[in-house]
Amino acid sequence: MNTPALAIQDAINWMMTHNVMLKATPGSSKHAAVSLTPATISEARFNALSESAPIFGQLINAVAENHQFLQEAIEPVAQGDAFFRELLAMHKAIHQKGNAKRTPLLMMRTDFMDDQELGPQLIEFNGIAAGMGRLGSVLMNFIAICKSNLQMRLATGTKTRMQNLSITWLSPV
């Protein structure tokens, strides 16, 4: 196996041994998606993308606060989908009683495609759930191990799989 294939296999093995898995079918699971090939961008481009993220946040907040627009936009979907029908019913019930007392906190992850001609294109805008906190710390460990394994392979020129120290406790004594 070549170094990228070994790095990918290390990543998959680590995710499997640290329960970073997704249910695929009843009784089976698959590893979470991962990319080991980030692209480098200039500091100026990074700053431009960073400056555009709050604009998308303001847009999402404006849409979320426009209850009439949400009702009109979701109504056609709700007619054919039970989940959206219930979601819309809850939204109506909350906002028919007057102003719903709430303190919004918008924590979002914004994924861009950096088009050199058209500028940043929004690909995904995801809310960050409180339950994702544990996953973040687990993934930081995962990234550190992958980086260490890859650096060791590159430094030593080895093309063999690295020992996965995180699963040594599984082997018989």
Side-chain angles (χ1 to χ4, degrees):
M1 265 197 258
N2 60 27
T3 301
L6 290 170
I8 291 167
Q9 191 57 51
D10 278 348
I12 292 169
N13 290 344
W14 190 92
M15 287 187 283
M16 290 173 65
T17 60
H18 287 82
N19 202 26
V20 184
M21 305 293 288
L22 303 170
K23 187 173 184 174
T25 61
S28 72
S29 61
K30 63 180 181 175
H31 61 84
V34 63
S35 172
L36 300 176
T37 56
T40 58
I41 60 173
S42 70
E43 183 177 353
R45 199 70 185 141
F46 174 79
N47 290 336
L49 292 170
S50 295
E51 290 171 10
S52 64
I55 296 168
F56 286 110
Q58 291 170 356
L59 173 64
I60 295 297
N61 185 62
V63 169
E65 295 298 327
N66 187 334
H67 306 295
Q68 181 178 348
F69 171 77
L70 286 173
Q71 293 288 327
E72 292 169 3
I74 296 174
E75 182 63 40
V77 177
Q79 291 175 9
D81 186 287
F83 173 77
F84 279 98
R85 191 168 33 256
E86 289 300 315
L87 192 62
L88 192 61
M90 285 191 294
H91 185 266
K92 285 179 182 176
I94 290 169
H95 291 284
Q96 280 179 348
K97 297 177 182 176
N99 292 333
K101 293 183 180 182
R102 47 188 225 124
T103 305
L105 172 63
L106 181 62
M107 292 177 53
M108 304 300 289
R109 186 193 82 224
T110 309
D111 295 347
F112 294 105
M113 175 181 69
D114 185 20
D115 189 299
Q116 295 299 317
E117 293 178 17
L118 301 174
Q121 304 296 303
L122 182 63
I123 301 299
E124 246 184 339
F125 200 83
N126 296 314
I128 299 172
M132 295 290 286
R134 169 79 174 112
L135 181 59
S137 64
V138 168
L139 290 180
M140 289 305 294
N141 292 335
F142 161 70
I143 290 166
I145 288 171
C146 286
K147 181 179 178 184
S148 173
N149 283 350
L150 185 57
Q151 286 172 334
M152 186 177 288
R153 277 202 189 95
L154 293 173
T156 62
T158 182
K159 298 209 184 277
T160 59
R161 295 209 52 244
M162 301 299 291
Q163 181 182 9
N164 186 344
L165 299 176
S166 64
I167 61 169
T168 55
W169 61 273
L170 292 173
S171 62
V173 179

